[in-house]
Amino acid sequence: MTNPGVTRRFERAVVTGGAGFVGAHLCELLLAEGLEVIAVDNLATSSADTLDGLRRHEGFRFLRHDVTHPMPLPCRADVVFHLASAASPRDYLALPIETLRAGAHGTENALELARRDDAWFVLASTSEVYGDPLEHPQREEYWGNVNPIGPRSVYDEAKRYAEALTSAYRREHGVDTGIARIFNTYGPGMRAHDGRMIPAFVDQALKGEPITVTGTGEQTRSICYVEDTARGLLELARSGHPGPVNIGNPHELTVRQVAERIRDITGSGSPIEEIDAVVDDPKRRCPDISLARDVLGWEPKVDADDGLRRTVAWFRRAPLR
Ligand code: NAD
């Protein structure tokens, strides 16, 4: 195992879930940093179209594969980023068993790959491990308040298991591992209908339809621009720190404020309407990122207005998916 504080250099990365929203941005960043990248994805919640831009890079390869089966990679990797998992509530509620399997068997197979190659391993965990938090803002020491049997548990508990498995591989097998707890991330490349707040609001605003906030809209979220999140994952891998480390934007906004900003940026006349609250929806969500600042030298660079403007501009150009 390496010592925290070390800056590691990598030549070849495997990104599971590399055709997904965050995964594709991470692949772009790694390629821009001069790495070879192998994206492994079964396209369960993404489309091969995402790969068009990535395939233009010489150093990019794609393997269509379900990570719940062992990964047949002929070459060695220096770093494995494990992102493969349904991530939007709409996806994981439609794919409950698959989501649990991706967190369990998928994480084990990705860890085995890292162990085989003596590679660094980064788990894309989530702020959902904090559940509906009783502490605020959320620090990494907080163990969370999760309903283990509710509909969202297929995602939350899969990630909690994945964190436990990652920690066990570190202790038992000496694998160099890092755990990133990613908070709400948004940006270009999201699917309009994946059920997440920002693409839904942008889609509704651009169509002039009511922008639907769940419950009162007074629940809070922190929203992190995807380029910042991808950079956080890379910095974690380079740092040698085991984490868990919160990767998110500490600027807290209510869901209604996000809806209002998107309405302003799009210039839409859409009304904001309240719809039924979601089961086990967290009331407050905001990371304490002191650890990321201290050990990774990382903090978000793109503020909400800038990020939302870039996202709206992308949605205006993109075919809505
Ligand atoms: P996404 O759905 O866009 O991407 C996930 C990718 O994983 C998809 O391409 C999907 O096809 C792939 N996948 C799913 N199951 C697979 C399997 N069994 N084998 C191979 N590939 C599989 O989601 P995203 O927003 O890009 O999220 C990526 C990761 O980041 C996830 O692990 C998610 O839990 C984590 N995360 C994301 C956010 C966010 O706000 N986007 C927040 C917290 C954590």
Side-chain angles (χ1 to χ4, degrees), residues 17 19-23 40-46 65-68 83-87 91 102 124-126 155 159 182-185 191 196:
F21 162 55
V22 179
V40 180
D41 202 301
N42 66 353
L43 304 179
T45 61
S46 55
H65 179 76
D66 181 339
V67 296
T68 62
L83 280 72
S85 166
D91 288 336
S125 185
T126 169
Y155 181 66
K159 291 291 183 177
I182 303 172
F183 283 65
N184 282 25
T185 294
R191 286 165 293 142
R196 290 189 263 203

